[in-house]
Amino acid sequence: MNARCRIAAAAMVFAATVYPVSAQNKAADGFKAYDGLAVGRQMLAEDNPGDLWVERGQRLFNDKRGPKNTSLERCDLGQGPGVVKGVFATLPRYFADTNKVQDLESRLLTCMVELQGFKREDIVRDRFGTLDKDSELEALVSYVGAASNGLRMNVRLNHAQEREMYKAGEYAFYRRSGPLDFACVTCHGESGKRIRLQELPNMTKPEEMREVIATGWPAYRGTHSTVRTMQHRLYDCFWQMRLADLGFASDLSVAITTYLNYSANGGEIKLPGVRR
Amino acid sequence: MIYAKSLLLLSATVAVVAGCATFPDAESTAQRAEQMVTEAHTLGAPALLRRTTQDESQRACSSPGGAKLTQEHSATIVKTARDSIKYPASGKLTGDWKTGAQLVADGRGQRIINGQVEKLSANGALCINCHLMDAKEVNAGNVGPALTGYGTQHGDSEAVARYTYERIYNAWAFMPCSNMPRLGASGFLTPEQIAHIVAYLIDPQSPVNK
């Protein structure tokens, strides 16, 4: 980035910091933010089972593991080797070593393969926990996510590839296909809508997106008895859309997350979330 | 004076931001995103992977940001949708409302997991995922308008049966790019299934009209 761009970027950061204040005023003006999960959240507010995943994730992060018997303390999630604080707030972002924009899951995958020597296909196979087998990735994502609690979402689009991903994500959000003609916007384009009794956040509204992203995924899902990540949430929506399985850490999944997370900028992070 | 200076600074900043943080144009975005869509799904038979391939109407209904349709596109979508409509071989557009009642509450069909489509003898019709139909049903969505009292309101004439049948067969013949899926045209529902659902909506005995 040249000097002039850096000044401009600083100005944009400033703009992002003042943004939420006015948005909060708007909420006070009578806008009812997405709050469909209030009941579940209230029930579990005192005792979020997701905290167990955070603890397990912390151990998995710090223990020497894998064929190379190393911890993840050299894993650079965007804030420097081993740093977890603030990571969730700024992902997805561009990483020079992989020359890719990566979200939290795909970046952890890179570290586990490159630093610890795990096999990529093994981690992908076990990416979603089952009743018989917990997922290490779900625990690691919980730990890293919670390490940003209290900070605000602050996804930057400084790199050309980040802007490319953002635009591709927006394109995908509106792209209709499949036997039911669904796009994301079909179910997430208006406030106050429900599929059966499941409330659908309006993802074209930053007020609602801050709730979805900053206090959402990783989330302890009561119906699954485990923590699920954003990759799983998207996978689930693709299933509902009658499309083939969304590839784990695929560029498409990262593009959509870039689009969604950027629109949640300013939202105060409180993870893991609690969901139905 | 100070004020003028800061204004100048502000506009300079805006210009710099615009110059640096340029987004790719619509055409390269579409190209890149389409490539991502193709690469995103790898598990399953070719026919399943091809589900993401859009037809002309879907493409016209996918403007990023939800931009409005042109008159021309709109007319083409409606015509394509009209031409798609097929009727039951029996010619009967109203079937059995009790069979319809089961169909509207069934949300299954065509979902894919680990590259396999769920195995069912027939798809459900998904209606109450989006519409309240029987006023006593608590588990109904509201993505579409409530259809309670549909038959009481419209009657059960041949013309109403026909309109309702066509509307379910291909919603885009009436409202291009509607959020309602083209359930008959895509083959998700059979003409006979749709006739049962028509009966469920218009029959005076149906819970919809109680």
Side-chain angles (χ1 to χ4, degrees), chain A residues 194-267:
Chain A
R194 284 181 284 108
I195 289 277
R196 301 258 178 152
L197 293 184
Q198 300 164 41
E199 302 202 28
L200 303 164
N202 178 352
M203 302 197 171
T204 66
K205 274 227 151 63
E207 298 92 309
E208 296 189 38
M209 273 325 279
R210 286 185 210 120
E211 178 85 13
V212 170
I213 299 300
T215 71
W217 308 81
Y220 178 80
R221 275 198 86 170
T223 51
H224 292 214
S225 309
T226 187
V227 164
R228 294 302 189 201
T229 66
M230 188 61 168
Q231 283 281 337
H232 187 277
R233 184 61 253 186
L234 296 180
Y235 177 86
D236 205 348
C237 283
F238 270 76
W239 171 78
Q240 292 187 60
M241 293 164 87
R242 272 72 181 172
L243 301 176
D245 307 70
L246 175 65
F248 188 75
S250 56
D251 281 352
L252 182 66
S253 67
V254 176
I256 292 172
T257 301
T258 305
Y259 172 67
L260 298 181
N261 284 14
Y262 182 78
S263 73
N265 271 352

Side-chain angles (χ1 to χ4, degrees), chain B residues 33-201:
Chain B
E34 287 296 334
Q35 183 195 353
M36 289 184 197
V37 168
T38 312
E39 293 167 358
H41 312 277
T42 51
L43 216 60
L48 299 185
L49 303 182
R50 267 199 305 277
R51 283 192 187 177
T52 48
T53 307
Q54 295 177 301
D55 69 21
E56 289 290 329
S57 299
Q58 285 174 331
R59 200 170 306 130
C61 295
S62 297
S63 316
K68 272 240 176 322
L69 275 180
T70 62
Q71 289 256 318
E72 213 180 307
H73 272 138
S74 193
T76 314
I77 294 166
V78 169
K79 179 165 188 318
T80 310
R82 278 234 69 84
D83 293 347
S84 76
I85 300 177
K86 296 194 176 58
Y87 302 88
S90 67
K92 274 192 59 185
L93 301 184
T94 12
D96 167 38
W97 72 257
K98 288 186 179 147
T99 310
Q102 280 166 12
L103 281 168
V104 300
D106 188 346
R108 299 170 304 164
Q110 300 273 327
R111 291 172 298 196
I112 302 172
I113 203 151
N114 290 330
Q116 303 288 319
V117 189
E118 59 185 328
K119 287 207 170 48
L120 296 170
S121 51
N123 294 331
L126 319 173
C127 313
I128 74 164
N129 283 1
C130 295
H131 295 283
L132 179 65
M133 296 179 128
D134 173 350
K136 289 206 248 353
E137 172 63 64
V138 276
N139 192 14
N142 67 355
V143 171
L147 299 171
T148 45
Y150 184 90
T152 316
Q153 213 177 328
H154 298 274
D156 60 353
S157 68
E158 187 60 33
V160 168
R162 191 173 187 85
Y163 160 80
T164 308
Y165 178 92
E166 292 176 346
R167 185 125 204 183
I168 301 168
Y169 196 96
N170 196 330
W172 296 9
F174 301 86
M175 198 199 252
C177 304
S178 161
N179 279 343
M180 176 152 155
R182 300 168 294 173
L183 292 161
S186 64
F188 197 86
L189 296 179
T190 65
E192 290 71 25
Q193 284 180 308
I194 296 175
H196 294 315
I197 298 162
V198 171
Y200 179 69
L201 281 175

